[in-house]
Amino acid sequence: MGYPLLKDIVQVKYSISYCEGNKLRVLPKGESEAMWLGRPGIPKGLEAGLLRLKEGQNGTWDCDPKGGFEREVELVDGGEKYKIPAKSKLHFDVDLEKVTLGAASN
């Protein structure tokens, strides 16, 4: 399988780390539902990294605040709440599991 395109749907396992003051927060590894690349709401830094991975590959990378979430994001994982501030510097640890080609072609 090749590299995903901006119109593809991907399935990933991911962990996101971010700094909150002097404290590094690492979210437990989660699994995405269908994630349509090129759609609003996906951090630019995550999307850019995914476009460099082939199906079945994994990767880790950092993105600057411009590549983070546009808005504050609240997540609940394992009963613990996480609030990722908007425009945070993020670190991604991602396994790209599946790519569905051209799924968002309209």
Side-chain angles (χ1 to χ4, degrees), residues 21-59:
N22 293 336
K23 194 173 190 180
L24 178 67
R25 295 267 189 188
V26 181
L27 278 63
K29 195 159 242 186
E31 193 166 316
S32 75
E33 296 180 17
M35 184 186 298
W36 284 24
L37 297 180
R39 292 287 174 108
I42 300 173
K44 292 180 183 91
L46 176 56
E47 203 165 66
L50 287 172
L51 294 173
R52 295 193 301 260
L53 296 179
K54 285 186 178 181
E55 189 174 278
Q57 289 185 324
N58 58 32

Side-chain angles (χ1 to χ4, degrees), residues 17-105:
S17 310
Y18 64 98
C19 286
E20 188 176 59
N22 293 336
K23 194 173 190 180
L24 178 67
R25 295 267 189 188
V26 181
L27 278 63
K29 195 159 242 186
E31 193 166 316
S32 75
E33 296 180 17
M35 184 186 298
W36 284 24
L37 297 180
R39 292 287 174 108
I42 300 173
K44 292 180 183 91
L46 176 56
E47 203 165 66
L50 287 172
L51 294 173
R52 295 193 301 260
L53 296 179
K54 285 186 178 181
E55 189 174 278
Q57 289 185 324
N58 58 32
T60 61
W61 63 91
D62 292 312
C63 77
D64 63 24
K66 290 180 185 174
F69 290 100
E70 293 289 322
R71 298 188 188 111
E72 182 178 271
V73 175
E74 288 188 20
L75 300 173
V76 178
D77 195 305
E80 191 167 346
K81 291 183 181 180
Y82 299 90
K83 191 177 285 190
I84 303 177
K87 304 288 187 185
S88 295
K89 180 178 178 179
L90 302 173
H91 174 80
F92 298 104
D93 179 1
V94 176
D95 299 321
L96 178 58
E97 296 197 312
K98 184 177 181 187
V99 178
T100 305
L101 298 175
S105 57

